[in-house]
Amino acid sequence: MKVDLNSDLGESFGRYKLGLDEEVMKFISSANVAAGWHAGDPLVMRRTVRLAKDNGVAVGAHPGYPDLLGFGRRYMKLSPEEARNYVLYQIGALYAFAKAENLELQHVKPHGALYNALVKEEELARAVIEGIADFDRKLIFVTLSGSRPAQIAGEMGIKVAHEVFADRAYNPDGTLVPRSKPGAVIHDREEIAERVVSMVKDGGVRAINGEWVELKVDTICVHGDNPKAVEIAKAVREALESEGVKVMPMGEFVR
């Protein structure tokens, strides 16, 4: 069995530091690097790409809404043309730093509220995927496991990585429980590790109401801004490897 471990990194901005990038990077196989609109700046972007290179971690773009104040977690109404070009713009920005470090971009994972909006708005999802295709049709689109955006990307001939979340609770329909609700974020590292192993080996997880949710798992997100991010990332990787699961960049097995 093979699986990718990803984390949203490079989310500091100017003099403000967010996340534990240097430590988390040691345990993941793919990094989603903020492209400057919800977080990140040119110095942070280059530093994060270089850090990924030094750790043998694959790099992808992490585009979001143009919302630095809200960290990209506030919904914005975009036209298809805006969404397509906003995503293309941000991929291009991160690509400049990847190219400077002689790295290829592996994937694109939308951030925060944009990520969640794609699951509900088919027209928006199609526009975002078109923006990815405009840049490079070989890029992998990372989206919520089993979601409509995954189907759309497949129909458009774009490779898809089905993503699950190590530290988030699930609704029975396979969507994430909103962060505003109790129990939405799981903090116990042992529980998180057990859930991840179940996701990969059993193909699913228990929803917040106890129902079984089937999941396709290509990549697992470990949040880098969690106060316990390092120990969680370490526990997840060790639990997977102890079960014979090989952790590697999604680009090595997603077809």
Side-chain angles (χ1 to χ4, degrees):
M1 291 180 288
K2 303 171 183 175
V3 76
D4 175 65
L5 278 185
N6 79 73
S7 190
D8 305 339
L9 302 177
E11 293 185 319
S12 298
F13 182 77
R15 65 182 295 174
Y16 301 99
K17 186 177 188 304
L18 180 68
L20 302 165
D21 293 8
E22 293 82 359
E23 295 302 315
V24 171
M25 197 76 81
K26 298 174 183 177
F27 301 104
I28 62 173
S29 47
S30 295
N32 319 307
V33 183
W37 277 23
H38 76 276
D41 61 43
L43 295 176
V44 171
M45 290 164 73
R46 180 144 198 183
R47 185 163 61 246
T48 308
V49 168
R50 186 175 289 156
L51 182 63
K53 180 181 179 180
D54 291 344
N55 283 271
V57 171
V59 170
H62 195 38
Y65 286 129
D67 181 25
L68 280 172
L69 284 175
F71 194 64
R73 287 182 175 165
R74 299 181 293 190
Y75 174 77
M76 298 176 70
K77 180 65 176 176
L78 301 181
S79 71
E81 183 179 17
E82 287 173 324
R84 182 173 183 168
N85 288 297
Y86 287 3
V87 167
L88 178 60
Y89 180 94
Q90 292 176 79
I91 296 172
L94 186 67
Y95 171 73
F97 296 104
K99 181 174 174 57
E101 296 295 334
N102 294 312
L103 288 178
E104 296 287 335
L105 285 186
Q106 172 188 252
H107 65 281
V108 177
K109 174 187 168 180
H111 166 78
L114 179 60
Y115 183 103
N116 293 328
L118 301 188
V119 177
K120 302 174 183 177
E121 300 181 30
E122 186 167 323
E123 188 177 41
L124 180 66
R126 191 172 300 278
V128 166
I129 297 164
E130 286 172 347
I132 295 170
D134 286 341
F135 185 84
D136 187 346
R137 298 188 67 85
K138 296 190 295 294
L139 289 171
I140 299 170
F141 171 54
V142 178
T143 189
L144 188 67
S145 177
S147 64
R148 180 59 182 147
Q151 297 174 345
I152 294 171
E155 293 165 1
M156 294 171 62
I158 300 298
K159 291 187 287 187
V160 178
H162 292 260
E163 182 179 40
V164 298
F165 290 80
D167 61 352
R168 294 293 302 278
Y170 278 78
N171 291 310
D173 64 356
T175 59
L176 300 178
V177 174
R179 287 176 178 267
S180 58
K181 293 189 176 181
V185 180
I186 301 164
H187 300 285
D188 183 87
R189 65 181 180 183
E190 292 184 3
E191 180 183 355
I192 291 170
E194 289 175 3
R195 286 168 64 86
V196 165
V197 169
S198 176
M199 287 173 176
V200 176
K201 297 196 71 177
D202 302 327
V205 71
R206 291 290 171 191
I208 197 163
N209 68 349
E211 291 184 31
W212 181 254
V213 181
E214 292 189 358
L215 298 169
K216 179 175 172 54
V217 185
D218 294 314
T219 185
I220 301 163
C221 179
V222 180
H223 285 112
D225 59 348
N226 186 313
K228 298 182 178 179
V230 178
E231 58 184 72
I232 289 173
K234 184 174 184 290
V236 166
R237 179 147 192 165
E238 288 178 349
L240 288 169
E241 292 179 338
S242 70
E243 293 290 330
V245 179
K246 191 168 184 180
V247 176
M248 62 175 64
M250 66 184 81
E252 296 186 20
F253 61 89
V254 170
R255 297 289 181 264

